[in-house]
Amino acid sequence: MPYALSYAAADKLDFSVPQALTVVAVCALTALVSNMALAVFNDGVRPFLLDFIRGNTNRGEMTAVSFGLSAGFVFGLGAPMALSTGVLNPWLLFLPTDILGIFAPRRWLAPILGGAWGALVVFGLSGANKAAHDLPVDFLTAMQEMATPILFMFLLFPVIAIATQFGRVHGIACFVVEVAIVVLSMNVWPDQFPGALAMAAGVLMLLGFSLAKDVRERRTARAAGAAEKADAPGAATIPADGEPAGDPVASLFGANAERLRRHLPWFAVLGAALAAMVNLHIFGGGEATSFLVAKGDYGEAAQVDFYRAFGFLPLIATTALASGAYQIVGFTFIYPLAYLAPNVAVAALGGAVLLTLEILALSYIGKGLATLPSIRDASDHLRNAIGKTLEIAILFGAIAAAAKMGGGLGIALVGGLYLLNESLGRPIVRLAAGPAAVVVAGIVLNVLHWLDLFTPLKG
């Protein structure tokens, strides 16, 4: 039987007491860490935190920045994805705790506000989920149609990254390889998500091309340097660490890395709490993995989030070293670790060790990235490719959901709302515009049904 994506989200979002308490505790802790300016989830907020840490920006200004960069993702992507998949996600949990933590004028208030948000999510979503499924037009079930486009288009993000960085020939080659692996997987391992191996091949091809380019350029630079040294034997040399003495940027990075190391126990606790929650299988680390976790394919979810992490590692490392604030979920390798851990205790221990090692290795990672420019560029291209791929995949999925719940009228509503958002300058970011449009269109279709102006489609 071929790989299927069907599941019942109506059975999800009913949390046990341990699950609910874990979510509340994690939200309380992430809000506290945000209040301490040690870590935030939103990568766009992190660069602003250096001025906040130094006292050049007040708490009200930072709260406004965080809210402005996060609100669209919370209500346009985080909430709809949770309702449609039946599992929680980082946009729904951690973007609000970023805001609440920064907003809290007293440290003791931050975990209270964060915990309250966690309680609202675990208890409020269940009621909203049940109420939505009882509507004549069940737009949440229709939103499950988004799964196939997201999963099967997301696997192609390495193709875009390679084509952008190395040209169309390399991009086409990667596309052919990935599609061939998908076809092979479907026939040889029909019960497994066929995109996992294809993504692995694409990411490895990108890293291979990048590493080969760095090696070639280093050899060329070494040969040129040897020739120049031979012509001018008395010329000054660069320090062995590759950084000019007294470099203010290097000094800032070192001070910020030391700031994070001073708070290492907090990151160990954070890693343990995050991994415990993820291991309970009520949380998905990304758009694609949310659907895989909902289906129970934790191995495939681990692979997808593992490959995705390489696109964000340099961004997280450099912004952390520049701002003195880390990413709430670290380099995101904590997701695959926790998906695969045999139980909560092992996951918590592994999460604590992993985040501790990441903080300790941060300076070395920053220096390593400085010596591998093509690898660093590859990560930027991967991250951009992930964004572009998901924008298109989520739009396709939103249109499929629209057709499922409302036929031509549903497509007109969802497509029209998306285009209206574009024409108004995107008040809702593209990633969130599709799911938000499906929710709004679903509400409109129910109102039209109550007015006897629309008959829900059968099935």
Side-chain angles (χ1 to χ4, degrees):
M1 181 179 177
Y3 183 82
L5 291 170
S6 59
Y7 52 86
D11 297 330
K12 307 286 184 175
L13 292 174
D14 287 326
F15 301 101
S16 66
V17 173
Q19 289 173 335
L21 291 177
T22 301
V23 173
V24 171
V26 168
C27 288
L29 180 59
T30 53
L32 175 61
V33 169
S34 171
N35 181 268
M36 298 168 68
L38 289 179
V40 291
F41 179 76
N42 194 320
D43 293 321
V45 172
R46 202 171 307 113
F48 295 94
L49 282 178
L50 182 60
D51 283 338
F52 179 62
I53 293 168
R54 290 175 169 175
N56 298 329
T57 302
N58 63 43
R59 193 168 293 278
E61 292 169 337
M62 269 308 306
T63 302
V65 169
S66 183
F67 182 84
L69 293 174
S70 302
F73 285 101
V74 176
F75 301 107
L77 183 62
M81 286 292 292
L83 289 169
S84 61
T85 63
V87 296
L88 304 175
N89 58 68
W91 304 281
L92 181 63
L93 294 186
F94 304 145
L95 290 179
T97 58
D98 280 359
I99 300 169
L100 293 171
I102 294 172
F103 166 77
R106 296 288 183 271
R107 186 149 297 169
W108 59 266
L109 183 58
I112 294 176
L113 294 176
W117 174 256
L120 178 63
V121 168
V122 294
F123 296 113
L125 278 185
S126 179
N129 185 56
K130 291 176 181 176
H133 280 295
D134 290 337
L135 292 172
V137 180
D138 185 357
F139 57 87
L140 294 187
T141 298
M143 285 183 73
Q144 294 175 15
E145 297 295 314
M146 298 174 66
T148 300
I150 290 176
L151 285 172
F152 283 89
M153 291 187 69
F154 182 73
L155 67 89
L156 296 172
F157 71 83
V159 175
I160 298 176
I162 288 175
T164 305
Q165 186 172 2
F166 296 102
R168 65 185 71 178
V169 174
H170 290 78
I172 292 171
C174 182
F175 177 77
V176 172
V177 169
E178 287 210 27
V179 171
I181 292 175
V182 169
V183 174
L184 177 66
S185 299
M186 285 181 166
N187 287 276
V188 179
W189 304 288
D191 295 330
Q192 311 240 340
F193 172 52
L197 286 177
M199 272 186 282
V203 171
L204 287 174
M205 288 177 71
L206 176 61
L207 295 177
F209 293 149
S210 302
L211 187 60
K213 182 180 179 182
D214 280 334
V215 170
R216 288 194 305 269
E217 290 181 349
R218 182 170 294 185
R219 286 175 179 171
T220 302
R222 188 178 294 123
E228 184 178 342
K229 186 175 181 180
D231 292 337
T237 58
I238 296 176
D241 61 1
E243 295 173 351
D247 184 352
V249 174
S251 177
L252 174 64
F253 280 18
N256 287 334
E258 176 58 29
R259 176 180 187 265
L260 294 175
R261 287 194 293 268
R262 287 199 307 270
H263 294 90
L264 206 55
W266 283 110
F267 289 105
V269 173
L270 178 63
L274 288 169
M277 181 181 70
V278 175
N279 184 257
L280 291 171
H281 299 147
I282 56 173
F283 181 94
E287 301 87 343
T289 43
S290 289
F291 289 102
L292 291 171
V293 170
K295 190 176 181 292
D297 291 341
Y298 309 122
E300 286 84 350
Q303 292 182 68
V304 171
D305 273 343
F306 180 79
Y307 307 137
R308 178 192 178 112
F310 289 102
F312 291 87
L313 190 152
L315 172 69
I316 293 169
T318 52
T319 55
L321 289 170
S323 67
Y326 200 42
Q327 163 64 265
I328 282 288
V329 294
F331 291 134
T332 73
F333 290 116
I334 200 166
Y335 294 150
L337 179 149
Y339 293 142
L340 299 177
N343 54 58
V344 173
V346 172
L349 178 61
V353 172
L354 179 60
L355 230 59
T356 298
L357 293 176
E358 288 182 8
I359 295 296
L360 292 175
L362 198 54
S363 294
Y364 301 100
I365 292 171
K367 291 178 181 178
L369 291 171
T371 64
L372 297 170
S374 294
I375 294 289
R376 189 174 62 247
D377 291 344
S379 181
D380 291 338
H381 288 297
L382 267 180
R383 189 172 64 256
N384 293 332
I386 288 171
K388 290 178 181 178
T389 304
L390 284 173
E391 283 178 1
I392 298 172
I394 289 175
L395 175 59
F396 284 8
I399 295 298
K404 177 81 172 180
M405 69 181 182
L409 178 58
I411 293 173
L413 286 170
V414 171
L417 287 168
Y418 186 91
L419 294 174
L420 184 62
N421 183 67
E422 289 286 307
S423 65
L424 295 176
R426 292 192 211 110
I428 299 176
V429 294
R430 279 178 174 165
L431 278 176
V438 173
V439 172
V440 173
I443 295 171
V444 171
L445 289 174
N446 277 289
V447 172
L448 292 176
H449 169 70
W450 291 326
L451 295 174
D452 291 328
L453 296 175
F454 173 74
T455 301
L457 302 182
K458 293 183 179 180

